[in-house]
Amino acid sequence: MKDTPLSNCERDFLLKAIVEKKRLDGRQTYDYRKIKITFGTDYGCCFVDLGKTRVMAQVSCEIVAPKENRPNEGIMFFNIELSPMASPAFEQGRQSELSVKLNRQLERCLRNSKCIDTESLCVMSGEKVWQIRVDVHMLNHDGNLMDAASIAAITALCHFRRPDVSIQGDEVTVYSPEERDPIPLSIYHMPISVSFSFFQQGTYLLVDPCEREERVMDGLLMIAMNKHREICSIQSSGGIMLLKEQVMRCSKIASVKVSEITELITKALENDKKARKAGGRCGFAESLPQERITALKMDETAVEMTDVTETANDIVQKAEAPSQMVPSPVVPIPGIGQVGQGLQNTWGLEDDEDEEEEDDDGDEEQEKVTKMEKEQRREEQSSGADVVEISDSEEEEVIILHPETPDRGPKNAGSSSQQKGAATSKRRQKK
């Protein structure tokens, strides 16, 4: 399966950003991506993260017959595997041009530089020697595979321990790690590869190109160097012509980067050694509580946990005692309420209940008034009192008088005379 090619717009955008000295991930021209080195449970297993590029290196050993032309030297074997898991452009079970190129460059960087004492790998001269095999697996491809592979390979070789052996006559005894402590390899120096990509026929230069930058570059220069400023190998590809000043400039930049990476490798090896010596968790076992088995990209947040108990006690002591009664909150808008044991109902139902109570009280009063009026009317009817209706209309004045009762003559006469007088007085006033 071929990788998705870049469009013309993406290519133009990348080249224009490089001309303006800008990169996709915000780095400067000579900046490396973040390098992270971790180790496996066994000796010789190393993981290297160079940005999103992830590489695993595993070192193994076995006793074999030496080469005829070098009977007193051990054998170094390097293998780089590009699996489809790293990129869809890689094919399984088939060596591509890139894998052959990386293999040759890694052999030049580590074997031809004589960084490992191969004579110390001899068990019996001309008969048995140690063969050290370095397998480099690409787990994720995001550019600059050579630098990540060289860092992982040399770190795994420094971390590796071979079993101890003893010779009695023609018999060779190999001891397990429980019987005797394994022996580290004799390494003189650590050569590390630094890649430089050139754009527009060598006009612009970038360090540690990512995968998209590698697609639009015109040429690549790889320099393998150790911290003593010794160039172990150099290779140029892409068909561009470089000036002497450009190569010297790249070598000066590489010397600075190699010293920084070598210091990082040394610190990682020391930390792993201390962890294994103290009996703590290291390698793959260290990743279990951090949940990094399936998600290896999780970052940890540093939290200070030394004086948490004291700080919590001080806060509790300085805090005020909580009140026993729960205050009722003020609800500014009706229809908003609260739910909870011991809290006052604030759903706006109290006002409705008060209004209903007031309406009930008003109805009761009206009923009382009507009952009293009915009783008064009944008393008047039973008493048989005279009723006088007076009309104040302008057309005519009508006076209706009830007939007088014989029993209450004088009282009714007085009242009728008073009513007549009132009526005649009103007539006079109107006239």
Side-chain angles (χ1 to χ4, degrees):
M1 178 180 178
K2 292 184 179 181
D3 202 358
T4 305
L6 285 178
S7 63
N8 293 332
C9 295
E10 291 176 315
R11 186 180 297 273
D12 295 340
F13 176 79
L14 289 170
L15 293 175
K16 187 176 180 180
I18 292 169
V19 171
E20 296 177 359
K21 296 182 179 181
K22 297 179 181 179
R23 304 180 74 169
L24 294 178
D25 48 8
R27 290 181 291 158
Q28 298 297 325
T29 306
Y30 302 144
D31 288 349
Y32 249 88
R33 288 173 288 181
K34 183 180 178 181
I35 302 175
K36 184 179 179 181
I37 300 174
T38 54
F39 299 98
T41 308
D42 299 331
Y43 285 107
C45 182
C46 176
F47 294 89
V48 173
D49 293 332
L50 182 59
K52 293 184 179 180
T53 300
R54 185 171 176 81
V55 176
M56 184 193 75
Q58 178 66 56
V59 181
S60 58
C61 64
E62 62 177 343
I63 296 178
V64 296
K67 294 181 179 180
E68 294 180 357
N69 56 348
R70 294 181 179 179
N72 299 326
E73 294 182 5
I75 301 173
M76 297 291 300
F77 181 77
F78 297 93
N79 177 40
I80 292 181
E81 182 182 352
L82 304 178
S83 64
M85 178 177 62
S87 174
F90 301 151
E91 296 182 6
Q92 180 69 29
R94 183 179 176 183
Q95 276 198 343
S96 61
E97 183 181 353
L98 178 61
S99 63
V100 175
K101 174 184 173 183
L102 293 176
N103 262 311
R104 291 178 179 176
Q105 180 65 16
L106 191 63
E107 288 179 357
R108 291 196 196 103
C109 179
L110 297 178
R111 181 196 294 167
N112 299 345
S113 64
K114 304 293 182 180
C115 65
I116 298 176
D117 184 12
T118 55
E119 292 183 357
S120 64
L121 301 175
C122 180
V123 179
M124 294 180 65
S125 178
E127 295 184 5
K128 295 180 180 180
V129 294
W130 284 107
Q131 180 186 7
I132 305 298
R133 179 186 176 95
V134 181
D135 292 297
V136 181
H137 300 269
M138 302 298 173
L139 304 180
N140 190 32
H141 173 39
D142 192 35
N144 202 5
L145 292 176
M146 186 60 222
D147 291 9
S150 66
I151 295 172
I154 192 63
T155 308
L157 286 170
C158 294
H159 188 254
F160 178 68
R161 302 289 188 272
R162 66 172 179 84
D164 193 8
V165 297
S166 64
I167 303 173
Q168 294 180 356
D170 293 338
E171 294 182 0
V172 178
T173 305
V174 180
Y175 296 97
S176 63
E178 290 79 11
E179 295 174 348
R180 289 188 183 181
D181 292 336
I183 301 173
L185 301 178
S186 179
I187 297 176
Y188 296 129
H189 57 88
M190 290 189 291
I192 296 170
S193 175
V194 180
S195 299
F196 301 90
S197 56
F198 294 92
F199 302 87
Q200 296 186 5
Q201 298 300 320
T203 307
Y204 299 98
L205 167 68
L206 290 181
V207 178
D208 182 24
C210 64
E211 191 262 343
R212 290 182 178 271
E213 292 170 348
E214 286 183 348
R215 294 190 184 186
V216 299
M217 69 182 179
D218 296 333
L220 183 67
L221 178 66
M222 290 183 286
I223 300 177
M225 184 183 292
N226 57 20
K227 66 178 182 180
H228 306 295
R229 300 171 64 90
E230 298 172 351
I231 295 178
C232 302
S233 69
I234 184 169
Q235 181 179 355
S236 176
S237 60
I240 61 171
M241 300 297 293
L242 297 177
L243 300 176
K244 176 183 175 182
E245 291 77 11
Q246 290 177 321
V247 177
M248 293 299 296
R249 181 184 179 188
C250 292
S251 63
K252 291 180 181 179
I253 297 171
S255 63
V256 178
K257 300 299 179 183
V258 165
S259 60
E260 295 176 356
I261 297 172
T262 304
E263 186 179 358
L264 178 64
I265 294 173
T266 306
K267 288 183 179 179
L269 291 170
E270 290 178 356
N271 294 335
D272 183 77
K273 185 178 179 180
K274 290 179 182 178
R276 292 177 186 273
K277 189 176 181 180
R281 294 188 175 185
C282 57
F284 184 73
E286 186 183 3
S287 65
L288 290 176
Q290 299 174 1
E291 299 179 0
R292 287 188 291 144
I293 300 175
T294 56
L296 299 174
K297 297 294 183 181
M298 187 173 71
D299 298 330
E300 295 182 2
T301 304
V303 181
E304 185 66 28
M305 301 291 290
T306 55
D307 55 347
V308 174
T309 307
E310 298 178 359
T311 307
N313 292 332
D314 295 339
I315 294 173
V316 172
Q317 291 176 1
K318 293 179 182 179
E320 297 180 358
S323 59
Q324 298 295 331
M325 298 298 295
V326 179
S328 178
V330 179
V331 182
I333 303 174
I336 300 176
Q338 58 185 359
V339 179
Q341 186 177 3
L343 299 178
Q344 188 177 359
N345 187 5
T346 56
W347 286 102
L349 300 177
E350 295 180 356
D351 299 338
D352 298 340
E353 293 178 356
D354 295 340
E355 292 177 359
E356 290 179 357
E357 291 178 356
E358 292 178 358
D359 296 340
D360 295 341
D361 296 340
D363 295 339
E364 292 179 356
E365 291 179 358
Q366 290 180 359
E367 290 179 356
K368 290 180 180 179
V369 171
T370 52
K371 287 181 181 180
M372 293 174 66
E373 291 178 354
K374 289 180 180 179
E375 290 179 356
Q376 290 178 358
R377 289 178 182 175
R378 289 176 182 175
E379 289 179 357
E380 290 177 357
Q381 290 177 1
S382 62
S383 60
D386 299 335
V387 178
V388 180
E389 294 182 2
I390 300 173
S391 175
D392 295 336
S393 62
E394 295 180 357
E395 295 178 357
E396 58 181 358
E397 295 179 359
V398 180
I399 298 173
I400 299 174
L401 299 176
H402 289 280
E404 297 180 356
T405 56
D407 295 337
R408 298 179 181 179
K411 291 183 179 179
N412 294 334
S415 60
S416 61
S417 62
Q418 291 178 359
Q419 291 175 358
K420 288 179 182 181
T424 52
S425 61
K426 287 182 179 179
R427 286 179 185 176
R428 290 175 184 175
Q429 290 178 358
K430 287 182 180 181
K431 289 179 181 181

